[in-house]
Each structure stands twice: as C-alpha cells, then as structure tokens.
Amino acid sequence: MGVAIRLLLLPLMAVAFCGYGVTGRSHFHKKPPRGGSSGGRHRGGKEGSVVSSPAVPPADDDTQPVPPPPAGIVPSDPATPVQPAEPCVFDVRAYGAVGDGSTDDTQAFREAWKSACAADAAVLLVPSDGTFTITTTTFSGPCKPGLVFQVDGVLMPPDGPDCWPASDNRRQWVVFSSLDGLTLRGAGTIEGNGEEWWSLPCKPHRGPNGSTLRGPCDSPTLVRFFMSRNLVVEGLRVENSPEFHFRFDGCSDVRVDGLYISSPANSPNTDGIHVENTERVGIYNSRISNGDDCISIGTGSYDVDIQNITCGPGHGISIGSLGVHNSQACVSNVTVRNAVIRNSDNGLRIKTWQGGMGAVSGIAFADVVMENVRNCIIVDQYYCLDKRCMNQSTAVHVTDVSYANVRGSYDTRSAPIHFACSDTVPCTNITMSEVELLPASGELVDDPFCWSAYGTQQTLTIPPVTCLQDGLPEALLDNPDLKCR
C-alpha cells in the first residue's frame, strides 16, 4: 500500500476504534520525561512499563456466555449498571505527527483537534515517546462534551524568535478559545524554549551595558485560555516560557491543580499563572518558580481561591498591577491560604497605578510561610515601572484586606510590611492577626511602613503595626469612582 494511502487511512482507523468498552486493551506507555524526551535536543525518558486492563475474550474463546438479565429488568433500567464507553483517543501520530523535536507537526495537531472536537468524550493524545513542535495555533470550539487534551510527551514551540514564522502571532503560542468543559492534563512537559526571547535587547536590562532598548518586544504567552468555561488544567510540567506560562482571559469556573511551573529567576515577565476578567477560579497544589509573579490577578477577577501553593524564586503572589492608563479596575473575593513563599522579591502584594479607578476588596491571606522574602507584605498604590510617574488624584481603592497567621523571615534590604497608599484614596479596613516576620540574617526587626493606611492590629504582631490609622476617611464616602459591581 502506498505511503499516501496509508496516511489517509490512519485517521479513519483511529476513529474506527472509538466506542469499545473500557476493558479489552493493553497499552504501552513510556515513562514521561521530566523536562525532556528522546527527541530533538531533549534527553531522558525512563524504561517503559505496561499498563494493562482485563482482556476481552476473542470471538472463538470458550468462555461461558453472559446470562440474560432476570425477567423484569432491562438494560435501560436505572438500577442496572451501564458500563461507560471508553473515550475515543485521537493520537496525533495517526494524523502524521512525527515527534522528533524538529519536524513541524502543526498540521497534524490541527487535524487531530478537528476530529476530537467533533466526538463525545474524546482524548487528543500527545504520546509519551515524542517531542512535538508546533507553531502558533488556536484550538477553538465549540466542541462536544468531555474533551481532553492529554500531553504525555513533550510539546514545544519553535526555538526562539529567529525560528518563529513571520506570519504567526508573536504574542501567543497555544490558545484554547470558546470552549466548555475542556481538560488539559498529562504527565508530560510543555517546554517554552524561552531563552532567546528573554535575551532580546528590549527586555529589562538586556541592552548594551545593562540598558533597555526601545522597540518592539512582543513575546508569546505559552498557553492562553480565552472566553471559555468549566476548564481543568492538571498534572503538567510547564517550563521556560517566553513570557506568561498560563493566562486565563474572559473565562469562568476554572480549576488548576498539581502543576509544576519552572523558569529561571532572571527570566523577565514569566508570570506563572495570570488571571484576568475571569471568575470562580481555584488554583491548588502547585509549585511555581520563575522570574516574575508566581500568580498574578488582573482586573475583572472575582472569587479566586488559591491553596497549597509553593512559590519562589520570583515576585510572589500579586493582585495587579491595576488601573494603568487611568482605567477602572475591579477585583474581589480573593483567598490565599496554606502557601509557602521563599527567596522571592515579594510575598503578598497588591499593586495599583495612580490615576486608576475602581476597587480591590475582600482579600484574605491566611496561613502563609515566608522564607527570606524581601517585601513580605506590601500594598503599593504608587506602582510605576520607571519611577517617573506623576502624582495623580485618583486611585483604585484597596479595602477589606486581612492577613492572618503570616509567619517567617524577611530579607533585611526592605521593611517586612509596607503599606504605601494614596493620599486621596487611602487603603481602608486592613486587619492583621498572628503576623510574625523576623529578619533572616538576625538583625533588629525593621519597623513597618504605613502611608494613608487605615485598619486594625487584632493581635500583637511582630513587628508591631502601630502605624495603621483608625476609622474611615470621609473623602471615601459615596465616591462613585470607587464603585465596582
């Protein structure tokens, strides 16, 4: 049979196997590489193992036939258990993907997505024995329910800006758009190949003699979710993104669980997980080390629950920046609990630009451990990238922020607690209890810094936060610029 005919038949064969019961097949899986694979420039991969399920007897087996159901019971009765159908698996190799680390497998992924999107309970499989390179691609819906994008091998973009196709978007790589119920998971790696992007001369301190050159500096977000809902992202290793590793825009009902995100501490703008205009988000049981915010929360984000996260090195967990270019920004109901932040420039940070409007409210930080963090607790309403910003009379209101059981050590280059709030829109209702932050190197405890900050110290804290003011400024009453939904 000719090569062309075989390639045409492979996708049809893959579809033909859909619908078999859960039992009946054995699958060979190589142990997924952690940070590399046998293809391309990645190395590693452990000896394979066999994962088996009970075999379906062949047609000529002498196994006793299954007796019919008792009288009065039919398979459609609710009391009769129904064996769920096995998901349809769409292996990208069946659509022509090579997985050698250098061949462009983009078209194979697009064809596999088209087939998987049209099938119920489908799995698009990136197999464990390959390193697959694709260019900028949007995987869009709507699709049939239960779609899974399973990365068990290595998936990566072209190696740096010089290899990026001129016709491709340089602001994003893989985009999942207009989907309901997608799961992105796997035991494999999404490798960003970001090293050459970080070295562009327009990146901070990448020009001659440590300067920053002006000019186009677009770099792709590695994985972006856009206008989608009921999303699950779990179990992946994601590393070396050119810019943000994950970004959620205009989404709802998102669960992120068990991720390992890694980039060097000096890689610029490599936020681990960024959430914007997205609501009902849970981020759990993940470890993030990178060159920017571990988790960043932008405007329009509501009901965000973050638990059991380890961050560092990096810039900590940040709300903001908010209110840039005199815009309105609203964030509310954010909880951070059971977190460890170590060797980081910041710990728990809220940052806003002068001139903005709106409010950050209902923020709770609890049960957080700091290890050698420079700014453990910081609210900065004077955020400015080049420190030449002009003072302005409006600001995003920061209110109803609590810190409870926040303990650990801080880098003595900065005070451990820093509330720099707006003269005209002060921070209000800050509450602190069981806060204990000691210098990592054993010097005397630094005093907190407060400016236009109102709140209460509910228990004795170390250092004592006596600089918080009592009450509520009259200037904030009935101010329409501070209203959010």
Side-chain angles (χ1 to χ4, degrees):
M1 184 181 295
V3 174
I5 296 176
R6 286 201 302 271
L7 289 176
L8 287 173
L9 289 178
L10 279 172
L12 298 177
M13 294 169 63
V15 174
F17 281 113
C18 295
Y20 277 75
V22 173
T23 60
R25 288 192 282 176
S26 297
H27 307 277
F28 181 81
H29 296 284
K30 290 184 75 174
K31 292 285 187 179
R34 306 307 285 179
S37 180
S38 57
R41 61 178 184 162
H42 297 274
R43 295 181 296 174
K46 300 180 182 178
E47 184 178 353
S49 61
V50 176
V51 180
S52 300
S53 56
V56 172
D60 59 353
D61 193 20
D62 58 359
T63 304
Q64 293 296 321
V66 178
I73 298 181
V74 294
S76 60
D77 279 351
T80 304
V82 178
Q83 188 79 356
E86 183 177 0
C88 295
V89 177
F90 298 86
D91 188 323
V92 294
R93 286 195 189 277
Y95 293 82
V98 177
D100 62 359
S102 58
T103 300
D104 182 357
D105 291 321
T106 307
Q107 191 58 36
F109 273 73
R110 291 174 179 172
E111 293 300 323
W113 174 266
K114 187 184 302 182
S115 297
C117 180
D120 287 320
V123 176
L124 187 153
L125 177 63
V126 182
S128 61
D129 60 348
T131 298
F132 300 86
T133 301
I134 65 173
T135 59
T136 298
T137 303
T138 297
F139 298 105
S140 60
C143 294
K144 292 292 186 69
L147 180 58
V148 174
F149 196 111
Q150 178 96 13
V151 181
D152 286 339
V154 176
L155 181 61
M156 65 185 189
D159 192 4
D162 291 341
C163 298
W164 207 261
S167 60
D168 277 10
N169 190 329
R170 292 171 66 97
R171 298 301 303 275
Q172 54 198 24
W173 175 51
V174 166
V175 181
F176 294 99
S177 175
S178 304
L179 294 162
D180 187 350
L182 174 72
T183 295
L184 172 63
R185 70 184 186 198
T189 299
I190 299 178
E191 165 61 53
N193 288 334
E195 293 89 342
E196 293 184 25
W197 294 95
W198 308 329
S199 299
L200 291 175
C202 51
K203 294 292 184 181
H205 313 297
R206 291 298 193 272
N209 301 317
S211 64
T212 300
L213 301 183
R214 295 185 178 274
C217 206
D218 293 340
S219 299
T221 292
L222 201 58
V223 181
R224 183 187 183 205
F225 295 87
F226 180 69
M227 298 300 291
S228 297
R229 61 182 184 175
N230 299 315
L231 301 170
V232 175
V233 182
E234 59 186 5
L236 290 166
R237 181 185 183 100
V238 185
E239 58 189 24
N240 300 321
S241 177
E243 202 161 280
F244 292 8
H245 288 76
F246 283 98
R247 182 179 179 118
F248 295 88
D249 288 294
C251 297
S252 62
D253 301 291
V254 175
R255 180 169 66 84
V256 176
D257 200 341
L259 297 186
Y260 181 82
I261 297 174
S262 176
S263 289
N266 63 350
S267 57
N269 305 118
T270 53
D271 294 45
I273 300 171
H274 180 75
V275 178
E276 189 152 334
N277 294 311
T278 295
E279 57 187 7
R280 297 184 298 280
V281 180
I283 303 173
Y284 306 123
N285 309 311
S286 296
R287 185 182 184 93
I288 304 171
S289 58
N290 59 330
D292 211 299
D293 294 334
C294 162
I295 298 171
S296 54
I297 300 171
T299 186
S301 299
Y302 307 99
D303 303 320
V304 180
D305 185 36
I306 301 169
Q307 295 195 44
N308 196 25
I309 302 296
T310 299
C311 291
H315 294 178
I317 298 174
S318 292
I319 297 174
S321 58
L322 303 173
V324 65
H325 303 313
N326 302 325
S327 61
Q328 184 181 54
C330 297
V331 173
S332 66
N333 299 335
V334 177
T335 300
V336 176
R337 186 180 300 274
N338 297 324
V340 176
I341 304 174
R342 55 169 61 102
N343 301 319
S344 178
D345 284 351
N346 302 290
L348 306 172
R349 177 166 63 160
I350 300 173
K351 51 180 178 175
T352 71
W353 295 80
Q354 292 189 78
M357 298 172 287
V360 177
S361 63
I363 313 300
F365 301 108
D367 306 320
V368 179
V369 175
M370 306 277 186
E371 296 179 9
N372 192 34
V373 175
R374 183 168 180 179
N375 298 290
C376 294
I377 293 174
I378 178 170
V379 176
D380 181 9
Q381 288 193 286
Y382 297 89
Y383 182 71
C384 179
L385 291 178
D386 59 12
K387 305 304 179 185
R388 293 179 294 180
C389 301
M390 300 294 293
N391 286 339
Q392 298 190 48
S393 60
T394 61
V396 178
H397 186 203
V398 177
T399 186
D400 299 329
V401 182
S402 66
Y403 303 87
N405 193 28
V406 179
R407 303 174 185 273
S409 62
Y410 64 91
D411 182 327
T412 55
R413 289 177 295 172
S414 301
I417 300 171
H418 189 96
F419 296 126
C421 301
S422 167
D423 289 321
T424 55
V425 187
C427 304
T428 58
N429 199 23
I430 296 173
T431 60
M432 310 198 72
S433 63
E434 305 298 330
V435 173
E436 183 177 297
L437 298 169
L438 300 172
S441 54
E443 283 94 348
L444 295 175
V445 175
D446 288 326
D447 291 331
F449 174 84
C450 298
W451 185 269
S452 296
Y454 290 73
T456 59
Q457 182 181 240
Q458 294 182 335
T459 67
L460 181 63
T461 66
I462 300 175
V465 192
T466 57
C467 55
L468 289 173
Q469 302 180 58
D470 295 330
L472 181 68
E474 292 185 5
L476 298 184
L477 300 177
D478 299 322
N479 186 335
D481 290 338
L482 309 181
K483 303 297 183 182
C484 286
R485 72 172 193 176

